[in-house]
Amino acid sequence: MAGFVIGLLYQVGTFFAPHTDDRIALAVVIAAALIAVVFDVRAIKTDSFAPGLHRQTSKELAHRANIPEWVAPMMWGLDTGLMWTTFRVSATTWVLMAAALLNVAPQWSGLIFGTAFAAPLAVAVLVGRGNVSELGRPGPRRAVQMATVAAALLPALLLVGGLVL
């Protein structure tokens, strides 16, 4: 879903990209990334979440007898994959969406973002004895937040390294 959202934003941005100076677009994305770092550091220190909608697919969906057991995880994954409709672990969501809209980030960057989001979450679930509800406690959620922030910073470091070289 993140790949679809970012690809769609990129395509919308192609209407505006010819009229926007690349240096200005890059400066906006860098400024947004710096602001996102401040929000993420604050979220980690205060055991809270990044700015956005603070809602998620109901956990009770998994306990309904009239739906197959695979429906709840699929709905949760689709909801989370939309990037802006639920709790987020990192404010970099907004940075990537802005970068795609400004055509600074490539269309496929949503696939990388989705992997950077899902991989630490999967590790936390596997290490936490497979129970997603354990992520509500401060320890595992902080670990997921820090892993996601680190994974989100890797593309930025590569971009900066490419610009320097």
Side-chain angles (χ1 to χ4, degrees), residues 2 7 10 18 35 37-39 49-50 76 84-85 92-93 98-99 102 113 115 119-120 126 139 151 162:
Y10 183 91
I35 292 167
V37 167
V38 170
F39 277 114
F49 296 95
W76 187 79
W84 58 275
T85 62
T92 55
T93 301
L102 293 170
F113 183 85
T115 302
L126 293 172

Side-chain angles (χ1 to χ4, degrees), residues 65-138:
N66 59 345
I67 62 170
E69 63 184 32
W70 56 267
V71 171
M74 183 190 72
M75 293 303 294
W76 187 79
L78 291 173
D79 192 17
T80 303
L82 285 173
M83 301 171 67
W84 58 275
T85 62
T86 187
F87 284 99
R88 276 175 310 288
V89 181
S90 174
T92 55
T93 301
W94 298 108
V95 176
L96 179 59
M97 292 172 74
L101 191 60
L102 293 170
N103 283 185
V104 172
Q107 293 183 65
W108 49 264
S109 58
L111 298 174
I112 302 300
F113 183 85
T115 302
F117 180 87
L121 183 61
V123 168
V125 169
L126 293 172
V127 170
R129 296 174 298 245
N131 189 348
V132 177
S133 64
E134 289 186 18
L135 294 177
R137 292 191 208 135

